[in-house]
């Protein structure tokens, strides 16, 4: 039955997560919610990037043979996160670049600016397992929580 198949897929997905994965997928009506975390806000930000790419293309088989740099601005942390993920989605949609690793090189929290470098390669459907297309980033239920030794990000994307 469909329910058994769905449960089997969810169980397999749960077991496929490793200790280094710092994100999870949460069900949300007609959309998907990413929850990422890290020891710092910067680390949680980097993790939500990989969560987004991994949702569209399984990043396990992606090689880090190319780099893309982006610079993003916002007027607050929420708009910075939105603009940041939207720019990476644009890079994927226009260049078919799949990011496996991302490193934020500058995170200006007062001017709300980020510079980062993503490593990965161009999508190759013969090599890469594709997932679900993300149509857009949303502000719906967006939440950024920063504590002393842990930061969390929740963001919903339209699929």
């Amino acid at each position: 039955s469909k329910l058994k198949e769905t449960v089997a897929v969810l169980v397999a997905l749960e077991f496929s997560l490793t200790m280094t994965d710092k994100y999870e997928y949460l069900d949300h009506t007609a959309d998907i919610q990413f929850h990422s975390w890290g020891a710092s806000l910067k680390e949680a930000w980097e993790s939500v990037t990989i969560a987004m790419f991994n949702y569209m293309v399984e990043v396990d088989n992606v090689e880090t043979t190319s780099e893309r740099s982006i610079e993003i601005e916002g007027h607050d942390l929420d708009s910075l996160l939105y603009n940041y993920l939207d720019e990476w989605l644009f890079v994927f949609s226009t260049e078919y670049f799949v990011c496996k690793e991302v490193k934020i090189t500058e995170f200006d929290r007062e001017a709300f600016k980020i510079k980062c470098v993503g490593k990965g390669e161009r999508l190759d459907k013969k090599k890469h397992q594709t997932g679900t297309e993300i149509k857009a980033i949303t502000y719906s239920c967006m939440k950024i929580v920063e504590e002393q030794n842990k930061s969390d990000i929740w963001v919903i994307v339209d699929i």
Side-chain angles (χ1 to χ4, degrees):
S1 76
K2 270 287 194 209
L3 180 58
K4 285 182 182 178
E5 288 176 34
T6 302
V7 169
V9 168
L10 290 174
V11 169
L13 178 60
E14 183 178 354
F15 284 118
S16 71
L17 294 176
T18 66
M19 293 298 286
T20 59
D21 293 329
K22 294 177 182 165
Y23 59 83
E24 64 183 337
Y25 304 111
L26 306 171
D27 285 330
H28 188 271
T29 308
D31 297 316
I32 188 73
Q33 183 177 33
F34 302 144
H35 170 216
S36 70
W37 56 90
S40 66
L41 188 58
K42 184 174 147 183
E43 192 175 287
W45 215 277
E46 292 166 345
S47 293
V48 78
T49 313
I50 304 309
M52 182 180 77
F53 276 102
N54 191 58
Y55 195 75
M56 298 184 292
V57 179
E58 288 183 15
V59 297
D60 290 342
N61 293 330
V62 173
E63 296 179 38
T64 56
T65 55
S66 299
E67 288 185 359
R68 297 293 182 280
S69 297
I70 65 169
E71 295 183 28
I72 298 301
E73 296 182 22
H75 61 273
D76 59 15
L77 279 179
D78 286 357
S79 67
L80 184 62
L81 178 60
Y82 177 95
N83 294 344
Y84 171 84
L85 290 174
D86 192 53
E87 181 66 17
W88 277 122
L89 185 58
F90 179 78
V91 168
F92 176 78
S93 299
T94 58
E95 300 177 33
Y96 304 104
F97 179 77
V98 182
C99 189
K100 181 177 185 169
E101 298 173 5
V102 66
K103 181 71 175 164
I104 294 175
T105 55
E106 291 183 37
F107 197 141
D108 185 335
R109 298 170 57 129
E110 293 177 16
F112 303 109
K113 294 181 181 181
I114 284 182
K115 291 183 182 180
C116 71
V117 176
K119 293 183 180 181
E121 66 179 325
R122 187 174 171 87
L123 176 65
D124 179 349
K125 289 191 177 184
K126 294 176 187 163
K127 176 181 177 183
H128 303 122
Q129 179 68 40
T130 56
T132 303
E133 176 188 4
I134 293 175
K135 296 176 187 170
I137 311 303
T138 74
Y139 280 102
S140 177
C141 301
M142 183 181 284
K143 191 170 158 184
I144 301 168
V145 176
E146 188 174 16
E147 297 173 354
Q148 190 165 350
N149 295 315
K150 185 180 182 216
S151 293
D152 292 89
I153 293 174
W154 289 266
V155 64
I156 291 176
V157 297
D158 182 24
I159 54 174

